[in-house]
Amino acid sequence: MWGIYLFLIALLVLLTILPKIQHSHWIFRVPEFGKIQITYAVLITFILGLLIAEPQHLWYSQGLLLLLFVHHGVTLIKYTPLYPVKKHQQKHQSSEKLHFISANVYQFNKEYNRFIQLIEKYQPEVFLTMESNGDWENAMKVLEKDYPFHHKVTLENTYGMHFYSKLEIKSAQTHYFVADDIPSIEVHLKTKDGFSFVFFGVHPPPPSPTEEETSKERDGDLLSAAKRIKDIKEPVIVVGDFNNVAWSKSSILFRKTSHLIDPRIGHSFVSTFHAKYRLLRFPIDLMFHSEDIFIKELKTLENFGSDHLPVYCEFFIDHHNDEQEDQVEEANSEEKAEAEEMIQEGKEEDGERDAIVTEG
């Protein structure tokens, strides 16, 4: 028991230290995803220590576990209702309530009808799919009678992206910030009650042993999007499979560079991946918004066969409400220089994706 206890402590210390090392290799970046699970493991290991007949130096190791728990807890508490944020009220100058669904459908998922039924059930004004290829595009054609406006980027490399809307699309464009096979979309919309806003969809590649060796393309793509978003004068929502967590350095740089707000702060994690394994579920499908977008509800919906749970959001637009201004943080000169360096590294990185992928 004592040997297992010491091994767990060593492992937890290692998983805590690795993300602190600012190296782009996946070995250093992947442990960031599991901060929630690591914190639970620290607590369980501490309880295990209480059950051990007291050997010499036990309380030193228990004290170390307490330090680890506090270290992770200081970050994670920001993404719970325990963290105080200013509550806002919807005022008469605001838009009607709007809704979107964002879903990484998993390209090899063939349960098209389950996703179509999900859209028909919740009837969002707009929805975004990622990993949607030609087969998914054909399957979703039945929704076009209700969603006459769309912007489609059909790819067979697991980075396809489709946007459907009941609202009028004023303009739409596809960006390829760091690689010609990794799209982001920018869609300018107008609501039925006359409010304009921009919907930005992103899906950069993850650092992992099975995909990209480093986080360079992911971080470069996200920070390139952030620079573009900062120059948009209309209300903005950014949604997608970020393959990142909100507390990582690159996510914080994204938020500060784009001048956007993270709606998870003071509310909940909204964990989405992996859909089938609750205990190994990470909050990597993120959302950020400008200060004149107000979130009423942000949550996951039921699984439709993908490895990601879909994200559902209810929001409204209010140009006259300044209650969220103090939540906007801006990058300082050092952070701006770091973001530029990450963008350049992302453009120089040579991703190892095939033009057409196959299952397995």
Side-chain angles (χ1 to χ4, degrees):
M1 181 75 78
W2 177 245
I4 294 173
Y5 172 74
L6 290 179
F7 172 78
L8 289 173
I9 291 177
L11 179 61
L12 292 168
V13 169
L14 178 64
L15 292 174
T16 300
I17 291 174
L18 282 175
K20 300 296 180 186
I21 301 170
Q22 293 307 311
H23 194 287
S24 61
H25 195 277
W26 66 264
I27 289 175
F28 301 94
R29 303 280 58 89
V30 167
E32 290 176 318
F33 291 22
K35 184 177 280 286
I36 300 169
Q37 288 80 4
I38 291 168
T39 306
Y40 277 116
V42 167
L43 182 59
I44 292 168
T45 306
F46 180 85
I47 294 171
L48 177 64
L50 297 176
L51 303 177
I52 295 174
E54 184 174 344
Q56 190 178 10
H57 307 312
L58 173 65
W59 290 107
Y60 289 106
S61 55
Q62 289 290 84
L64 177 58
L65 288 170
L66 281 176
L67 286 175
L68 291 178
F69 184 80
V70 170
H71 170 77
H72 292 294
V74 166
T75 297
L76 295 180
I77 198 170
K78 295 179 181 179
Y79 302 92
T80 74
L82 297 175
Y83 190 78
V85 292
K86 186 184 295 183
K87 305 299 180 183
H88 56 260
Q89 298 293 326
Q90 187 167 2
K91 300 178 180 179
H92 67 276
Q93 305 103 321
S94 69
S95 71
E96 296 293 324
K97 290 178 183 176
L98 299 162
H99 310 81
F100 73 75
I101 288 176
S102 169
N104 182 321
V105 297
Y106 180 55
Q107 180 172 305
F108 307 105
N109 173 21
K110 303 300 182 183
E111 299 187 61
Y112 310 117
N113 285 337
R114 289 179 66 183
F115 179 73
I116 291 166
Q117 289 167 5
L118 185 84
I119 298 299
E120 291 174 340
K121 176 181 177 181
Y122 290 96
Q123 288 293 312
E125 280 75 19
V126 300
F127 70 89
L128 172 72
T129 63
M130 291 151 288
E131 291 202 25
S132 40
N133 62 353
D135 290 340
W136 271 96
E137 181 177 315
N138 290 333
M140 291 188 292
K141 283 182 178 178
V142 299
L143 294 169
E144 293 184 8
K145 63 182 185 299
D146 295 322
Y147 294 86
F149 305 100
H150 22 80
H151 182 67
K152 305 173 182 178
V153 186
T154 309
L155 298 172
E156 301 294 331
N157 65 350
T158 72
Y159 289 95
M161 192 174 290
H162 290 68
F163 178 81
Y164 293 82
S165 176
K166 294 180 178 180
L167 307 176
E168 176 190 354
I169 292 180
K170 297 192 295 183
S171 65
Q173 58 182 308
T174 304
H175 299 283
Y176 296 91
F177 290 119
V178 299
D180 59 8
D181 58 348
I182 300 295
S184 299
I185 63 167
E186 176 185 336
V187 185
H188 293 246
L189 299 152
K190 187 170 185 179
T191 69
K192 293 177 181 178
D193 50 354
F195 286 79
S196 296
F197 71 101
V198 178
F199 190 101
F200 221 98
V202 299
H203 182 204
S208 81
T210 59
E211 297 196 48
E212 297 306 310
E213 185 175 314
T214 74
S215 64
K216 290 180 180 179
E217 280 193 310
R218 180 198 69 182
D219 297 341
D221 190 72
L222 291 176
L223 290 165
S224 296
K227 283 186 64 179
R228 166 60 190 156
I229 290 159
K230 181 175 66 70
D231 294 332
I232 297 174
K233 305 306 179 186
E234 296 177 304
V236 182
I237 288 176
V238 187
V239 179
D241 176 3
F242 277 59
N243 280 311
N244 207 356
V245 284
W247 48 80
S248 76
K249 185 170 186 177
S250 56
S251 275
I252 293 169
L253 270 178
F254 173 88
R255 175 166 54 83
K256 290 183 176 182
T257 301
S258 61
H259 301 175
L260 298 182
I261 295 167
D262 183 352
R264 286 170 163 78
I265 294 176
H267 294 95
S268 65
F269 297 116
V270 195
S271 298
T272 55
F273 176 88
H274 195 287
K276 295 179 181 178
Y277 309 115
R278 182 178 295 273
L279 295 179
L280 294 175
R281 192 171 291 170
F282 310 131
I284 64 173
D285 292 85
L286 303 184
M287 175 204 173
F288 297 87
H289 62 89
S290 56
E291 64 191 57
D292 35 15
I293 300 277
F294 291 81
I295 308 303
K296 297 289 287 183
E297 185 176 25
L298 183 66
K299 64 181 183 180
T300 56
L301 299 178
E302 57 266 34
N303 187 11
F304 59 90
S306 175
D307 52 355
H308 289 247
L309 295 176
V311 174
Y312 173 88
C313 180
E314 179 181 298
F315 67 98
F316 63 88
I317 305 167
D318 191 341
H319 299 290
H320 305 283
N321 192 335
D322 60 2
E323 292 178 344
Q324 294 188 135
E325 282 186 358
D326 59 348
Q327 295 183 43
V328 177
E329 295 183 74
E330 297 185 13
N332 58 34
S333 57
E334 183 179 336
E335 289 169 327
K336 289 177 181 177
E338 190 169 8
E340 290 293 343
E341 182 179 348
M342 286 183 174
I343 290 170
Q344 189 58 39
E345 287 180 348
K347 291 178 178 179
E348 293 173 356
E349 186 74 359
D350 184 16
E352 298 179 356
R353 293 169 299 277
D354 296 327
I356 297 178
V357 297
T358 56
E359 176 72 313

